[in-house]
Amino acid sequence: MALVFGSRCEVSFMSKLKPLRVESLINFRDGTPHTSFDFLSLEEGRQIELRKELTRCYRHGEKYLVCGYCRGPLCLKGGSDQGNKQRLHFFHLPSPESESCPLHRGEKISKDVMRAIIYDGVKESPCHKEMKETIGSILSRDTGRCRDVYIDELFKRRLPQERYKPDVQGYYLDKNIIFEIQISSDFITVIQAREEYYQSKGAYLIWVFNAFSTDSYQQTLAQKDIFYGNNRNAFCLTKECVKLSYQHNKLHLQVFYQEPSLVNDQIKLISPPPKIITLEDIRFNNDCTAFFYDFKENYKKCELELEAIQEERKKEREREEHRALLLDLADKMQNSPYWERQEFFREKCGLDFEYSNPSGLIQYVASAIKGRPTFIGGDNNKSLYRNTLNKNNRQVRRFFCYFHAVARKTKFYKDIPVDLAKKINDALVELQEKKHKSDYFPDRRYESVLKVFFPKAHQDFKILMWELGLEE
């Protein structure tokens, strides 16, 4: 008989009543843990149906709802809490288990102890027992890769005072592997304790479900804890896996996992169809974690790829903005009166040149970048270099470092006459020796112009100044 939970009655008054002796139960048929409230809050008719089913199971030697502590059979007793009638509650039916149960005697058990005991009780369900025996049997048949396989025995590498007893333990090649069956327990403290313990012993813990869903709404808390904690991998032992395992004499498991993917500049998480794998397909990390698909590594790759895309787009926006700035600059220099040029440079560069404006510097640097004169009066490459070296032209002479920093990397510096090359070298030597007292020392106020309109040329200028010992 299968009971379906219906709508629950109002039970707020129960909080004022005497605490129940039996609050934690286990459905022995499927291994699921429950609280007594799950059943005591049912509609009265369903409570009576449950009472009859529990009585029938007891008469036929079957187990249905059992005590979370002693695993003894339970039944419902009592009725309305009004008047002299006893409150409805679960009580122990006569059995060897209940004779020594402290709850049956009215003693109290701490919540932490009860959680651990219920977890072990869940492990004793028929489904759980069948799964661990199946895994142990398959591993024992794989004699070429597996050895020292034990089912439901104390951990072989434990200390004397430690009482950990894994469902299945053994060695796959040189790796100590622990298999724990996880059906429906939701005790995160127990799950974490086992993970930390086995990892501290250098053993690989593999949780195995009897069923799993990629739909987050259908997952239990325990499934979520294990799935996300295991690099978003979940292993299941299905009927198909069992069939394949016995056919090939090696353990087959079904793996569910999440895969990150970059879609429209966002990292989306997808759940590919589950795959059937063997232990050969599992990645055993040095930190004693075991998984099929490395979610963290692939998520990091997506993050780096997304960062690269965003950085490239940022650079492209900056290039577009810079191109627009240069077009604006060209328009101002060709079509605007002097005072508008001054206002333009004041706005863009924060400069206020009362005696001059940086148009000349821009023309010289632009010519160096292009590799040819870009303005009227610049007859050829040699003439521009000679102009910057002319000590009779103080303003243009201040352009020498800005101009040479770029020109020396372009065809401006190729095939220049010997005498001009000597003058360039003499100017550089003078800068190194006299520093800011040299006639060729740059007007540093122009540097902000270069920085705004020609960032690459500004970097070249900084490098030249460092080479000459004029920049720290």
Side-chain angles (χ1 to χ4, degrees):
M1 174 182 176
L3 290 176
V4 179
F5 295 152
S7 60
R8 298 185 174 187
C9 305
E10 179 62 47
V11 290
S12 60
F13 67 89
M14 293 180 66
S15 60
K16 302 178 182 179
L17 301 176
K18 184 179 178 180
L20 298 168
R21 287 189 179 184
V22 181
E23 294 184 341
S24 300
L25 299 77
I26 295 175
N27 183 334
F28 196 77
R29 292 173 176 173
D30 58 17
T32 56
H34 292 279
T35 66
S36 58
F37 181 80
D38 293 335
F39 302 97
L40 299 181
S41 60
L42 292 174
E43 183 267 333
E44 185 177 45
R46 294 189 178 277
Q47 292 176 350
I48 299 302
E49 291 177 7
L50 175 61
R51 175 182 168 89
K52 292 177 64 177
E53 176 64 10
L54 292 172
T55 302
R56 186 196 67 78
C57 290
Y58 179 70
R59 288 177 53 246
H60 289 84
E62 301 173 7
K63 283 190 175 183
Y64 180 13
L65 296 183
V66 299
C67 171
Y69 187 91
C70 71
R71 320 297 186 258
L74 301 172
C75 195
L76 280 171
K77 183 178 181 181
S80 171
D81 288 282
Q82 304 299 322
N84 297 324
K85 292 185 178 180
Q86 189 179 20
R87 172 186 180 183
L88 187 68
H89 63 281
F90 282 96
F91 74 100
H92 288 76
L93 290 167
S95 69
E97 297 93 341
S98 62
E99 289 180 3
S100 59
C101 182
L103 295 178
H104 182 49
R105 297 193 299 267
E107 299 175 12
K108 293 183 178 180
I109 305 295
S110 71
K111 290 183 178 180
D112 289 340
V113 171
M114 200 66 205
R115 287 193 185 101
I117 291 173
I118 291 176
Y119 177 83
D120 289 333
V122 170
K123 292 174 63 174
E124 295 301 322
S125 68
C127 178
H128 192 115
K129 183 178 180 181
E130 180 184 0
M131 285 182 66
K132 68 182 178 183
E133 289 178 351
T134 300
I135 290 176
S137 172
I138 295 169
L139 294 176
S140 297
R141 293 162 68 103
D142 190 0
T143 55
R145 287 174 289 262
C146 300
R147 59 182 174 85
D148 300 333
V149 178
Y150 298 95
I151 302 173
D152 216 15
E153 293 192 17
L154 290 171
F155 183 51
K156 299 302 178 181
R157 296 165 60 189
R158 66 185 176 86
L159 296 176
Q161 69 273 20
E162 296 172 337
R163 306 298 298 172
Y164 284 91
K165 186 170 67 174
D167 290 323
V168 182
Q169 61 181 304
Y171 280 84
Y172 168 70
L173 301 178
D174 62 336
K175 296 173 176 61
N176 188 190
I177 300 181
I178 305 297
F179 291 91
E180 286 281 13
I181 310 303
Q182 176 58 245
I183 295 179
S184 56
S185 173
D186 59 355
F187 301 125
I188 180 61
T189 53
V190 178
I191 292 172
Q192 285 184 339
R194 278 165 170 74
E195 289 176 342
E196 293 173 1
Y197 174 76
Y198 290 123
Q199 288 178 0
S200 70
K201 299 295 184 179
Y204 293 86
L205 173 58
I206 297 178
W207 294 98
V208 182
F209 298 102
N210 63 333
F212 191 81
S213 172
T214 55
D215 185 352
S216 178
Y217 291 101
Q218 296 184 28
Q219 296 171 1
T220 66
L221 281 176
Q223 288 177 329
K224 293 179 189 291
D225 291 331
I226 292 173
F227 177 71
Y228 291 108
N230 192 42
N231 208 359
R232 306 200 182 201
N233 284 237
F235 300 105
C236 286
L237 183 67
T238 64
K239 290 183 179 180
E240 183 181 4
C241 291
V242 173
K243 181 180 178 181
L244 290 171
S245 297
Y246 280 118
Q247 284 178 352
H248 301 280
N249 287 332
K250 59 181 177 180
L251 182 63
H252 287 66
L253 296 170
Q254 189 179 47
V255 60
F256 294 79
Y257 60 96
Q258 277 189 343
E259 182 178 343
S261 179
L262 200 57
V263 180
N264 297 328
D265 295 346
Q266 288 186 329
I267 300 178
K268 301 287 186 180
L269 303 182
I270 61 175
S271 297
K275 296 181 179 180
I276 293 182
I277 63 170
T278 66
L279 294 180
E280 297 168 352
D281 301 310
I282 294 179
R283 176 172 168 177
F284 296 94
N285 266 11
N286 293 332
D287 61 354
C288 289
T289 56
F291 48 82
F292 168 72
Y293 180 80
D294 195 340
F295 174 85
K296 293 178 181 178
E297 180 179 304
N298 285 279
Y299 193 89
K300 185 62 178 178
K301 288 180 181 178
C302 286
E303 286 184 321
L304 294 175
E305 185 178 350
L306 180 59
E307 288 177 6
I309 291 174
Q310 292 173 339
E311 183 63 24
E312 180 56 33
R313 288 183 178 169
K314 178 183 177 182
K315 290 180 179 178
E316 181 58 33
R317 287 194 300 269
E318 291 174 348
R319 287 193 290 266
E320 288 294 333
E321 292 171 357
H322 190 245
R323 280 192 285 268
L325 184 63
L326 292 180
L327 288 174
D328 194 14
L329 170 65
D331 179 68
K332 292 294 182 185
M333 291 183 63
Q334 293 179 17
N335 305 313
S336 301
Y338 177 75
W339 67 269
E340 283 192 7
R341 296 185 200 178
Q342 280 192 317
E343 183 61 32
F344 178 75
F345 289 115
R346 185 181 296 112
E347 177 187 347
K348 300 297 182 183
C349 309
L351 297 177
D352 189 4
F353 291 98
E354 297 180 358
Y355 68 96
S356 178
N357 70 70
S359 302
L361 170 67
I362 291 173
Q363 290 172 333
Y364 271 83
V365 173
S367 298
I369 293 172
K370 290 286 186 181
R372 58 179 174 79
T374 60
F375 60 97
I376 299 174
D379 298 331
N380 54 53
N381 297 352
K382 301 184 192 70
S383 66
L384 290 184
Y385 245 126
R386 292 186 189 280
N387 288 344
T388 62
L389 294 168
N390 187 351
K391 290 198 174 186
N392 293 323
N393 190 336
R394 182 176 179 276
Q395 180 177 346
V396 177
R397 192 172 64 245
R398 298 291 187 178
F399 297 163
F400 170 72
C401 287
Y402 296 112
F403 176 76
H404 178 64
V406 180
R408 65 177 179 164
K409 297 182 178 182
T410 67
K411 62 182 181 181
F412 261 99
Y413 203 63
K414 297 178 181 178
D415 302 324
I416 59 175
V418 176
D419 67 312
L420 182 56
K422 183 178 183 306
K423 288 183 178 180
I424 293 172
N425 186 64
D426 291 342
L428 296 173
V429 171
E430 181 181 317
L431 276 165
Q432 285 181 304
E433 294 176 350
K434 295 184 178 180
K435 300 188 183 304
H436 67 279
K437 294 181 179 180
S438 168
D439 291 333
Y440 301 105
F441 192 83
D443 187 336
R444 299 302 290 261
R445 291 180 297 176
Y446 286 129
E447 190 175 345
S448 61
V449 178
L450 210 64
K451 192 173 184 179
V452 171
F453 295 105
F454 305 107
K456 180 61 171 62
H458 179 252
Q459 292 178 7
D460 295 335
F461 169 75
K462 298 286 283 186
I463 292 173
L464 176 63
M465 297 297 284
W466 179 81
E467 291 174 354
L468 296 174
L470 303 176
E471 191 83 14
E472 294 183 358

